[in-house]
Amino acid sequence: MPRFAANLSMMFTEHDFLDRFQAAADAGFEAVEYLFPYDFPAEVVAEKLTNAGLSQALFNMPAGDWSKGERGLAALPERRDEFREAVAKAVHYATIIGTPLLHMMSGLADPRDPAAAASYRYALSFAAEKTAEKGIGLVIEPINGRDMPGYFLNDFNSAVALIDEFGPRNVKLQYDIYHRQIIHGDVLTSLGQMMQVIAHIQIASVPLRHEPGTGELNDAMIFAEIDRLGYGGYVGCEYRPLGDTVAGLTWLNKT
């Protein structure tokens, strides 16, 4: 059975954010992930994590003004200085909190735009260098255009090509099963094809992004394939519970 990490941005929202760490531990999780920790001092987040006996799986680098619809800075050439500051902030937080992975969001831009593509490659190179200096892995994630219209990195094959281009650096794939199914389908085959570059996996039902087992995919079969392929990382539960988070965890007890 894979090891699961609760996504505290979506799960346990019955509690204030800092109280979700203990709630996740009480529900049986051994690790957590979330979008951003930056509303709180890194030391406070680290203390909550330690007190709950949890491991940190990953979180995102700052992605601009989320409340205004911004979804990353990497592909935005006019935001390069802000991007560099975001990387420094993320690495600072990651070092204190103790996360092995940081996710770099691309931002909203046309992937056919040469300026956006050049900006993204620069950003990937810069972030890879700065995270590697601290022994932190860097992941990129294709996101479907239905949930996030206009997102620059919206294709798994393009993401893998970029990772191959960066070769020996610490850049890997964040493979979200929900996004994969919506963009391309063919989840089981692609897991096998891409496993060598996958550093983190996320799960949610398709099409409504609720608990595993409530959608069109055979999630139990997917979990079995993840195990068969020898994946040793966490599977992040990046889903929106249908109701109470704990009441909806019956799927976890069946895996």
Side-chain angles (χ1 to χ4, degrees), residues 1 28 64 73 86 109 116 143 172 235:
M1 180 177 69
L73 304 168
I143 295 178
K172 298 292 183 181
V235 175

Side-chain angles (χ1 to χ4, degrees), residues 70-94:
E70 294 184 340
R71 294 297 183 263
L73 304 168
L76 309 181
E78 71 279 9
R79 307 285 289 278
R80 184 164 291 181
D81 288 344
E82 186 179 348
F83 173 78
R84 288 192 289 251
E85 292 172 0
V87 171
K89 185 173 186 176
V91 169
H92 171 73
Y93 266 74

Side-chain angles (χ1 to χ4, degrees), residues 41-112:
E43 294 80 3
V44 171
V45 178
E47 182 180 22
K48 291 293 182 180
L49 192 73
T50 299
N51 289 346
L54 294 166
S55 296
Q56 182 72 49
L58 90 164
F59 53 83
N60 295 342
M61 292 181 173
D65 192 334
W66 193 265
S67 67
K68 293 183 178 179
E70 294 184 340
R71 294 297 183 263
L73 304 168
L76 309 181
E78 71 279 9
R79 307 285 289 278
R80 184 164 291 181
D81 288 344
E82 186 179 348
F83 173 78
R84 288 192 289 251
E85 292 172 0
V87 171
K89 185 173 186 176
V91 169
H92 171 73
Y93 266 74
T95 302
I96 294 172
I97 294 172
T99 184
L101 297 172
L102 285 169
H103 171 218
M104 184 188 82
M105 298 192 73
S106 69
L108 306 181
D110 188 341
R112 299 166 297 182

Side-chain angles (χ1 to χ4, degrees), residues 149-187:
Y151 194 70
F152 176 84
L153 189 63
N154 59 11
D155 181 89
F156 275 71
N157 296 323
S158 297
V160 171
L162 282 163
I163 292 166
D164 290 343
E165 179 181 326
F166 280 78
R169 296 194 181 185
N170 61 327
V171 182
K172 298 292 183 181
L173 180 66
Q174 182 170 317
Y175 185 108
D176 188 305
I177 291 165
Y178 170 80
H179 292 304
R180 171 71 200 195
Q181 175 66 6
I182 293 172
I183 297 171
H184 302 291
D186 204 20
V187 169

